[in-house]
Amino acid sequence: MDSECKSKKNSRRKRKLICGVGINDADYQVKPLVNGVRLICPFYSTWVRMLERCYSSKFHKTRPTYIGCSVSSEWLIFSQFKAWMEKQDFNGKQLDKDLLVANNRIYGPDYCLFVTARINTMLNNNAASRGDYAIGVDFHNGNKKFRSRYRTVTKHITIGYFNTEQEAHQAYLKYKKQVIIEVALEQDDIRLKDALLRIADTYEIQS
């Protein structure tokens, strides 16, 4: 082994663990300075954000729903996560851990895939910020009725106004179920398509 290889190997050994658990074994600069601009490797940044969601107490202060989540042993090693991510359609998408397997709490190759922001927003129930009413419902003071609304990535869509909270909630469920089905049928990835259709079936609509 020549001196340059020895130097790189020793450098990797001296690196601090990411979030106390992640091993950065990259054999290249993950944050290079190019023409005076600090860049960051997209594989590395995705890996670090995943570790932070699971193991950062600072992150958990604002996102407590991630407390108890973990990363599979192989993905604690950066090169192994990178090898998986290179095979995925990840550009402009977000890493998801619980779409393929409902209520999954582990990030790993058997559970994860990349999804669009549209799908992520569509499946988020915003439980922490939705207020005192049922999901998809608020009270509109102007007409003194319950308003049913659906949130997209960029805006809220008003579905309608109703006399009762339950009616507004049912309208929301019906609308969201249809949206999920439409998005599912657009997918080429059969795993994603089947997962979305399975989720759509959980939106029970009462007559």
Side-chain angles (χ1 to χ4, degrees):
M1 183 181 294
D2 59 34
S3 59
E4 182 179 356
C5 289
K6 286 182 179 179
S7 176
K8 289 182 178 180
K9 188 173 182 179
N10 289 333
S11 175
R12 291 198 292 271
R13 285 175 176 172
K14 293 178 181 178
R15 293 172 184 167
K16 291 183 178 180
L17 293 175
I18 306 300
C19 295
V21 293
I23 300 172
N24 174 18
D25 62 342
D27 58 1
Y28 61 95
Q29 288 289 329
V30 295
K31 297 180 181 180
L33 189 64
V34 179
N35 297 324
V37 178
R38 181 69 66 186
L39 303 179
I40 184 167
C41 168
F43 305 109
Y44 182 77
S45 63
T46 302
W47 181 67
V48 170
R49 288 197 299 270
M50 174 185 68
L51 293 173
E52 288 175 341
R53 287 195 287 271
C54 294
Y55 303 110
S56 169
S57 56
K58 181 178 180 181
F59 182 87
H60 290 162
K61 288 180 180 179
T62 56
R63 302 292 295 277
T65 56
Y66 283 92
I67 295 174
C69 291
S70 62
V71 176
S72 64
S73 58
E74 62 264 50
W75 276 12
L76 293 178
I77 302 172
F78 170 63
S79 61
Q80 294 195 31
F81 174 80
K82 178 176 180 289
W84 174 84
M85 184 172 167
E86 287 176 322
K87 299 176 183 178
Q88 311 304 311
D89 177 15
F90 65 85
N91 282 316
K93 297 183 178 181
Q94 302 165 354
L95 184 64
D96 179 274
K97 73 178 185 325
D98 52 13
L99 200 162
L100 295 180
V101 180
N103 302 313
N104 174 57
R105 307 281 286 170
I106 303 172
Y107 283 92
D110 295 329
Y111 313 109
C112 293
L113 77 168
F114 283 90
V115 299
T116 62
R118 179 190 182 193
I119 290 176
N120 239 349
T121 301
M122 179 179 71
L123 299 179
N124 189 342
N125 64 15
N126 301 299
S129 60
R130 70 183 188 222
D132 298 328
Y133 299 107
I135 183 171
V137 179
D138 63 10
F139 189 76
H140 192 268
N141 289 318
N143 57 24
K144 303 302 180 183
K145 288 193 174 185
F146 292 93
R147 178 171 57 182
S148 178
R149 294 201 300 173
Y150 175 78
R151 185 172 73 89
T152 71
V153 175
T154 59
K155 62 181 180 180
H156 280 90
I157 296 173
T158 297
I159 300 167
Y161 297 88
F162 302 86
N163 292 322
T164 69
E165 179 182 353
Q166 181 63 15
E167 288 176 316
H169 179 55
Q170 288 299 311
Y172 166 83
L173 293 178
K174 182 178 180 179
Y175 186 92
K176 184 166 184 176
K177 180 173 185 174
Q178 187 57 43
V179 170
I180 295 174
I181 291 173
E182 291 174 359
V183 172
L185 297 178
E186 295 172 358
Q187 306 307 312
D188 295 324
D189 186 331
I190 190 64
R191 300 177 307 155
L192 179 56
K193 178 181 179 180
D194 288 347
L196 290 173
L197 290 175
R198 169 179 52 78
I199 291 171
D201 284 341
T202 66
Y203 284 80
E204 297 184 4
I205 313 301
Q206 298 177 4
S207 57

